[in-house]
């Protein structure tokens, strides 16, 4: 078996068949000297669906990813440490009052992007969050209408065969989920008990892993290693759900291909990308360039592509590229039960309580949800050392109660702030590219929201009979912002079509475009917007406006 | 410490449908990690081994976990975390400074090398680092609290809990591919999971654990 980390697999007219050991599927390949319609940089939650739908619409498309092309059945060990291979581990410098932990916390590097290791939680925003400035008084409005998003959410949920409840308890009506909800594990039942004791609704979490067979995907076997790659292929990552479709529709994927710079021509338009693959720098010509590298790498690439004409970086006339970086607060409360819970069985977040504050009766901005948890041993041990400062015998003793632990973690909305940002450091990486510096400080509102959520979660666990509860005060996860979408070139980087205001054939289609980050996990929204963007591109092309 | 899972050895499942080939290979590699340092000097490695021995003491009755060798391997293979605090140097340099810092503290407090101190004295130095109280030329401005909490503690604990000995000791089911799990409810154990002993049940539980 070849090593996916050292030599590209998508070459010589074929790409790995992720569903068959040692199998291949045919792949179209484009020449570097002929411009393709679209180059998409990044194949994750945003890039995956976009590449697929553009190819299905008949455009010539190449998807670049700096990461390897994994074969889940052969490459994924059931092991936390080995599966670090899924993460973006290149050096990044973090500072600010609350330096962000990167790597496995929020950054994937693989064909399929971070969805190869994401926890599969697939939630919709609530309608008001798209207009939080005008309706709720904070953040910024999205230039999108929630009713249109409702249709694209539906499409994304179908494409990913989301397994979820028949009736979702909050928000405007939505159709039933394509696949039935998964059976809840013990940890999820404890969430339900606690929520009910507080008078809050709860539901089995809509998840991107199938509860019944789908094509070549067998149903989930509840092994619980989801965040380390699903070796069963039950999980509907982009690697499994979209990329094979993209290849079948004639897209090319270039794995282990790091894009270092976007080139612009005399007319100011993007002409193609410089990328590093198989030991040397190459150039691919393109009529359109879409950046989909997520909220750190996207601004890094736009900034690093600065030239005489665009001295502050591409698409940056607003000065907002790299600014308004947002993460989501991911604090938790844990404790012990007399019962054996064995929280590692099944996907980690099988139940959710969302929008408990749907009517916004509270004295801070933003929303949050919380979910049941099932950390594996290393994650749990480092949570104990990080939150309780435990080491020595005390740590080993505490770890032997692993099978009795339960916990809840929030996904909370942090507010955009221009000073939270990505810039370029002077240090360079293995490609000779300047590494990103990530500056992050929580605001007052963020702190109040976190404390509120911690209090609620702790109360609910205690009401559910959980003992020895403690708080994990310092954790963040998903990323957003840094190339925000808006309706005005002075205060945003891209328009509602994800098209940059400054350079008409340069687009951004990933989590970077979020003007606000909402209080639920982001990838379903990223994918829904990617599907919409592909449709918009088709409509613009038909009108000759590309 | 009492053994809550007598007779449970996660490696017994190695040849069962709970472990696939890729997993077997990954764990084999881990079990055979070279015990000699390849990144740190023997002198610094001795300090690291002593510190790891206190941070995560070894069980007396299970195969030892080569924690220091696993940390050294991480450094040797340049396995990074994907981020670095602005106040911290690159990981190899952080270890060189921090481990020398422990030795300097041992010299100035006890006139001896860190590795040769009594466990209680070693614990005291580690606790000072955790509180950010160690300083001196060896540290070159690196905060001892950051080194302890965000480097040494995380690396040592992550190494220990990556080892089957730790999984067996804590009753963790371990790898579960392709077999997976079936009994999702509270207080339901799949036959290939560890059984926990309540007082008086040790013999029955030992039998069950020998048949996972
Ligand atoms: C542990 C974990 C659990 C998560 N769980 C959930 C969850 O349950 N639900 C949810 O909604 N979200 C979850 N997320 C977040 C989710 O995975 C991300 O929000 C989402 O994948 C982001 O999509 P994206 O397209 O913006 O970027 P990504 O999916 O990260 O894709 C970006 C891709 O671009 C590539 N790339 C970047 N720069 C370059 C370059 N210069 N050249 C070539 N390629 C490049 C990268 O290699 C990467 O593959 C989780 C994340 C993590 C880390
Ligand atoms: S629990 Fe299900 S989705 Fe998660 S890794 Fe196992 S089979 Fe895949």
């Amino acid at each position: 078996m070849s090593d996916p980390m050292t030599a590209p697999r998508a070459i010589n007219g074929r790409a790995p068949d992720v569903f068959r050991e040692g199998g291949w599927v045919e792949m179209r390949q484009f020449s570097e000297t002929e411009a393709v319609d679209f180059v998409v940089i990044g194949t994750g939650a945003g890039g995956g669906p976009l590449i697929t739908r553009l190819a299905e619409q008949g455009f010539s498309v190449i998807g670049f990813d700096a990461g390897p092309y994994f074969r889940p059945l052969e490459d994924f060990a059931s092991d936390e440490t080995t599966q670090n291979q899924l993460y973006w581990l290149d050096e990044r410098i973090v500072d600010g009052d609350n330096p962000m932990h990167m790597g496995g916390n929020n950054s994937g590097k693989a064909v399929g992007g971070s969805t190869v290791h994401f926890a599969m939680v697939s939630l919709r925003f609530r309608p008001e969050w798209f207009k939080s400035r005008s309706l709720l008084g904070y953040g910024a409005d999205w230039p999108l209408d929630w009713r249109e998003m409702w249709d694209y959410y539906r499409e994304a949920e179908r494409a990913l065969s989301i397994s979820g409840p028949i009736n979702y308890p909050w928000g405007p009506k939505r159709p039933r989920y394509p696949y039935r909800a998964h059976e809840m594990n013990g940890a999820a039942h404890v969430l339900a008990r606690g929520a009910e004791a507080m008078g809050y609704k709860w539901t089995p979490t809509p998840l991107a892993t199938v509860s019944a067979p789908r094509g070549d995907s067998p149903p989930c076997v509840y092994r619980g290693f989801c965040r380390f790659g699903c070796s069963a292929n039950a999980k509907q990552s982009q690697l499994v759900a979209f990329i094979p479709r993209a290849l079948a529709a004639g897209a090319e994927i270039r794995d282990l291909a790091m894009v270092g710079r976007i080139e612009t021509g005399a007319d100011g338009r993007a002409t193609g990308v410089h990328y590093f693959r198989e030991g040397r720098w190459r150039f691919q010509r393109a009529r359109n360039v879409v950046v989909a590298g997520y909220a750190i790498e996207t601004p890094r690439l736009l900034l690093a592509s600065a030239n005489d004409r665009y001295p502050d970086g591409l698409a940056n006339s607003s000065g907002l590229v790299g600014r308004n970086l947002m993460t989501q607060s991911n604090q938790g409360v844990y404790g012990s039960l007399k019962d054996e819970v064995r929280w590692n069985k099944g996907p980690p977040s099988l139940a959710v309580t969302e929008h408990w504050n749907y009517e916004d009766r509270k004295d801070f901005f933003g929303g949050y949800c919380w979910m049941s948890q099932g950390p594996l041993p290393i994650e749990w041990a480092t949570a104990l050392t990080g939150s309780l400062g435990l080491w020595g015998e005390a740590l080993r003793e505490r770890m032997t109660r692993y099978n009795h632990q339960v916990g809840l973690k929030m996904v909370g909305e942090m507010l955009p702030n221009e000073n939270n940002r990505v810039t370029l450091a002077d240090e360079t990486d293995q490609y000779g590219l300047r590494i990103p510096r990530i500056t992050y400080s929580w605001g007052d509102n963020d702190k109040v929201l976190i404390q509120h959520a911690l209090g609620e979660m702790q109360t609910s666990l205690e009401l559910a009979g959980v003992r020895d509860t403690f708080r994990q005060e310092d954790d963040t996860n998903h990323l957003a912002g840094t190339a925000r979408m808006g309706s005005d070139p002075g205060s945003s980087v891209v328009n509602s079509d994800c098209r940059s205001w400054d350079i008409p054939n340069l687009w951004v289609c990933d989590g970077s475009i979020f003007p606000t980050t909402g209080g639920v996990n982001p990838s379903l929204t990223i994918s829904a917007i990617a599907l919409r963007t592909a449709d918009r591109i088709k409509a613009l092309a038909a009108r000759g406006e590309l | 410490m009492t053994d809550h899972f007598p007779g449970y050895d996660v490696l017994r499942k190695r040849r069962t449908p709970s472990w696939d080939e890729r997993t077997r290979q990954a764990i084999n590699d881990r079990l055979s990690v070279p015990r000699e340092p390849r990144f740190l000097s023997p002198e610094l490695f001795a300090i690291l081994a002593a510190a790891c021995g206190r941070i995560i003491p070894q069980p007396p009755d299970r195969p030892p976990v080569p924690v220091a060798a696993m940390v050294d391997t991480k450094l040797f293979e340049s396995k990074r975390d994907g981020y670095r605090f602005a106040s911290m140097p690159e990981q190899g340099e952080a270890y060189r400074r921090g481990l020398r810092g422990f030795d300097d503290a041992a010299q100035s407090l006890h006139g001896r090398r860190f590795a040769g101190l009594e466990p209680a004295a070693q614990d005291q130095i580690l606790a000072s680092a955790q509180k950010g109280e160690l300083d001196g030329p060896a540290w070159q401005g690196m905060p001892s609290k950051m080194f302890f909490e965000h480097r040494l503690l995380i690396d040592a604990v992550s190494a220990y809990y990556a080892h089957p000995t730790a999984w067996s000791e804590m009753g963790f089911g371990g790898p579960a591919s392709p077999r997976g799990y079936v009994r999702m409810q509270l207080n339901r154990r799949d036959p290939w999971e560890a059984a926990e002993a309540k007082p008086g049940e040790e013999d029955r539980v030992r039998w069950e654990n020998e048949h996972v």
Side-chain angles (χ1 to χ4, degrees), chain A residues 120 209 219-226 229-235 346-348:
Chain A
M120 313 176 300
T209 176
C220 173
V221 293
Y222 304 123
R223 44 190 284 280
F225 281 81
C226 323
C230 177
S231 59
N233 272 336
K235 176 192 222 175

Side-chain angles (χ1 to χ4, degrees), chain A residues 74-79 81-82 85 88-95 99-104 183-187 189-190 193 221-223 225 231 337 339-342 344-346 350 376-378 381-382 385 389-393 395-397 399-400 402-404 427 437, chain B residues 1-2 4-5 20 22-23 26-27 30 54-60 80-86 90 123 126-127 130 148 150 153-154 157-158 160-162 167 169-190 193-196 198:
Chain A
E74 295 150 84
D75 295 331
F76 290 173
S78 297
D79 183 62
T81 310
T82 311
Q85 62 178 343
W88 190 285
L89 298 179
D90 300 349
E91 202 79 303
R92 290 161 164 174
I93 295 176
V94 295
D95 64 6
M100 273 165 54
H101 297 196
M102 307 301 297
E183 179 185 355
M184 298 205 312
N185 62 8
H189 279 286
V190 173
R193 215 152 78 195
V221 293
Y222 304 123
R223 44 190 284 280
F225 281 81
S231 59
L337 275 182
D339 301 282
E340 287 183 18
V341 183
R342 300 178 189 276
N344 57 298
K345 294 206 248 185
L350 282 162
L376 296 182
I378 294 175
T382 49
T385 61
L390 288 185
W391 50 277
E393 283 297 340
L395 175 64
R396 262 183 69 218
E397 177 67 42
M399 286 298 288
T400 62
Y402 178 79
N403 288 341
H404 293 268
E427 203 175 316
R437 172 183 289 270
Chain B
M1 198 172 87
T2 45
H4 299 269
F5 304 95
D20 54 29
R22 181 71 189 87
T23 305
I27 306 304
R30 188 161 310 143
R54 299 311 304 157
I55 286 172
I56 192 77
Q58 301 278 331
R80 301 222 188 90
D81 313 309
Y83 61 100
R84 193 177 89 223
F85 294 96
E90 163 283 315
D123 284 356
L126 295 174
Q130 185 172 24
F148 184 84
H150 291 289
L153 193 51
I154 290 188
V157 162
S158 300
Y160 185 76
Y161 286 100
W167 303 340
E169 164 183 70
M170 63 190 275
F172 172 58
S177 181
R179 175 145 53 190
Y181 295 112
V182 180
R183 296 174 181 171
M184 300 280 277
Q185 305 293 315
L186 293 176
N187 301 311
R188 297 291 307 278
R189 165 182 166 265
D190 280 309
E193 288 183 282
E196 184 171 337
K198 315 256 175 324

Side-chain angles (χ1 to χ4, degrees), chain A residues 111-298:
Chain A
V111 173
S114 305
T115 69
V116 177
H117 70 265
F118 86 146
M120 313 176 300
V121 173
S122 300
L123 302 174
R124 299 182 181 196
F125 268 34
R126 55 193 267 191
E128 302 89 303
W129 286 343
F130 291 105
K131 293 283 179 280
S132 64
R133 169 54 59 194
S134 41
L135 293 179
L136 304 170
Y138 72 90
D141 284 356
W142 294 57
L144 296 175
D145 184 321
W146 75 268
R147 281 159 301 210
E148 194 189 4
M149 283 302 294
W150 237 235
D151 294 335
Y152 282 103
Y153 277 131
R154 184 60 187 154
E155 282 192 41
E157 285 163 356
R158 282 221 184 96
L160 298 168
S161 305
I162 303 296
S163 301
I166 292 174
N167 295 306
Y168 196 75
W170 306 276
K173 213 169 140 43
R174 64 179 75 170
R176 76 153 67 168
Y177 283 94
Y179 275 53
R180 70 170 165 79
H182 287 279
E183 179 185 355
M184 298 205 312
N185 62 8
H189 279 286
V190 173
L191 177 144
R193 215 152 78 195
E196 281 175 14
M198 294 181 81
Y200 298 150
K201 295 175 195 163
W202 59 272
T203 182
T205 312
L207 292 176
T209 176
V210 286
S211 52
R214 180 214 189 190
D216 289 313
S217 286
C220 173
V221 293
Y222 304 123
R223 44 190 284 280
F225 281 81
C226 323
R227 279 170 311 147
F228 304 92
C230 177
S231 59
N233 272 336
K235 176 192 222 175
Q236 300 298 295
S237 67
Q238 312 296 359
L239 175 63
V240 166
F242 275 106
I243 300 297
R245 262 176 64 185
L247 294 173
E252 177 181 350
I253 299 294
R254 291 197 190 149
D255 56 336
L256 297 183
M258 174 71 181
V259 176
R261 186 180 171 79
I262 299 165
E263 195 61 61
T264 59
D267 58 358
R269 290 169 65 96
T271 54
V273 295
H274 298 275
Y275 69 105
F276 190 85
R277 197 185 196 208
E278 294 188 284
R280 67 179 179 87
W281 285 98
R282 298 154 189 274
F283 184 71
Q284 174 66 50
R285 294 184 56 209
R287 279 186 277 278
N288 289 274
V289 173
V290 188
V291 192
Y294 210 9
I296 307 300
E297 295 306 316
T298 286

Side-chain angles (χ1 to χ4, degrees), chain A residues 444-456:
Chain A
D444 290 338
N445 192 82
D446 302 332
K447 293 177 190 165
V448 175
L449 180 142
I450 288 167
Q451 286 309 317
H452 189 268
L454 283 169
E456 292 274 318

